[in-house]
Amino acid sequence: MRVLIVEDEVRLAATLQDLMEMNGYNADVCHDGEAGLDNALTGIYDIMILDVMLPKMDGFTVLKRLRGAGSATPVLMLTARDQLNDRVEGLDCGADYYLTKPFEPQELLACVRALVRRQPELRNTEELTYADLRLEKNTFTLSCEARSVRLSRKEFDMMELLMLNRELVITKETLLLKIWGYESDAEDNNVEVYISFLRKKLDHLHSRVKIRTIRMAGYCLADSDS
Ligand code: CA
């Protein structure tokens, strides 16, 4: 799961990024509102943590433009001010949650978990299933009947995306952005390498699920029995 953090206080942004990553999320940081909006509009983020007071564009404007562009990405707004007006304005702009600084890490994590629960496709993420496969989030284990393998972090992220999308094609570019993020210099090649790792593991599991390559488009899962 990929989180976008838009926060201009560099140290706080880094702390939030560490906190999210220690709790199993992938997290990217932007330090101003314009960059935050640009990144959020790519649609690769599952959740956004958005500060209100930001250089270049304030958080309310970012949120209004994001919602105006049709994005439903859940947004948790952060602010140092705790005035009622700000909270009301934030919620009016389409924020899903509002948290006042300073806050405890546990409080932020609870808000993020609540946002995750509101997204139907991200619910029940402890275990994902597709055909004869089962993917366990807590242990990064992929299993098929009695056989199981442990996945690396990147293999897990990729398998999770494929299983969430099932037979829908997911592009190489989306995989690259969702798994390696913006700042990374990973290339298409990385995606191919990890797809081949996953295919070997599916063979090892004797699963009837295949990862199909759709030329010029991307990848999707296929159940060879159906
Ligand atoms: Ca700020």
Side-chain angles (χ1 to χ4, degrees):
M1 206 170 303
R2 188 160 279 277
V3 181
L4 177 63
I5 298 163
V6 189
E7 168 61 68
D8 59 314
E9 289 166 51
V10 175
R11 278 178 57 190
L12 176 60
T15 305
L16 292 175
Q17 188 174 26
D18 288 348
L19 178 69
M20 297 315 294
E21 291 188 341
M22 280 187 316
N23 285 278
Y25 301 88
N26 290 306
D28 295 329
V29 169
C30 295
H31 295 123
D32 69 72
E34 278 178 9
L37 179 62
D38 281 351
N39 277 12
L41 285 173
T42 61
I44 67 164
Y45 294 97
D46 302 298
I47 290 170
M48 183 176 186
I49 298 175
L50 178 63
D51 188 28
V52 171
M53 302 291 279
L54 288 167
K56 296 193 183 169
M57 189 187 292
D58 69 80
F60 296 134
T61 308
V62 170
L63 187 55
K64 264 185 225 156
R65 297 209 180 157
L66 188 65
R67 294 290 182 251
S71 166
T73 306
V75 173
L76 167 62
M77 291 208 92
L78 302 180
T79 184
R81 299 175 299 177
D82 61 349
Q83 287 153 4
L84 180 65
N85 282 348
D86 270 7
R87 280 205 291 273
V88 171
E89 188 171 356
L91 294 170
D92 279 349
C93 290
D96 299 276
Y97 262 79
Y98 211 98
L99 198 57
T100 305
K101 297 178 194 171
F103 48 82
E104 294 297 321
Q106 291 310 322
E107 212 180 340
L108 179 87
L109 289 171
C111 285
V112 168
R113 283 195 297 271
L115 290 183
V116 169
R117 281 197 296 273
R118 291 172 64 152
Q119 289 177 285
E121 72 277 20
L122 298 177
R123 249 179 246 151
N124 300 324
T125 43
E126 289 89 50
E127 189 178 290
L128 272 175
T129 57
Y130 173 79
D132 57 3
L133 285 179
R134 201 168 66 247
L135 182 67
E136 281 169 50
K137 181 153 198 169
N138 298 335
T139 56
F140 286 14
T141 306
L142 182 66
S143 39
C144 173
E145 288 156 20
R147 292 189 170 83
S148 65
V149 283
R150 281 288 281 277
L151 302 183
S152 70
R153 178 63 202 254
K154 291 218 173 353
E155 288 171 339
F156 172 85
D157 287 344
M158 192 169 278
M159 199 64 209
E160 185 187 34
L161 281 172
L162 287 164
M163 286 175 79
L164 284 168
N165 284 277
R166 308 173 81 82
E167 287 104 12
L168 294 177
V169 176
I170 180 158
T171 65
K172 231 181 225 185
E173 192 186 24
T174 302
L175 286 168
L176 200 57
L177 289 175
K178 281 229 177 205
I179 295 166
W180 279 271
Y182 264 92
E183 305 303 322
S184 154
D185 43 20
E187 291 165 10
D188 285 10
N189 191 8
N190 296 56
V191 175
E192 287 158 23
V193 168
Y194 279 89
I195 290 283
S196 78
F197 290 163
L198 286 175
R199 281 181 172 145
K200 287 200 183 87
K201 293 194 167 173
L202 290 175
D203 284 347
H204 169 76
L205 291 172
H206 298 202
S207 169
R208 45 178 228 254
V209 175
K210 306 281 175 228
I211 300 174
R212 189 175 284 166
T213 303
I214 310 295
R215 241 169 64 82
M216 315 295 282
Y219 303 95
C220 64
L221 295 183
D223 180 350
S224 58
D225 261 18
S226 64

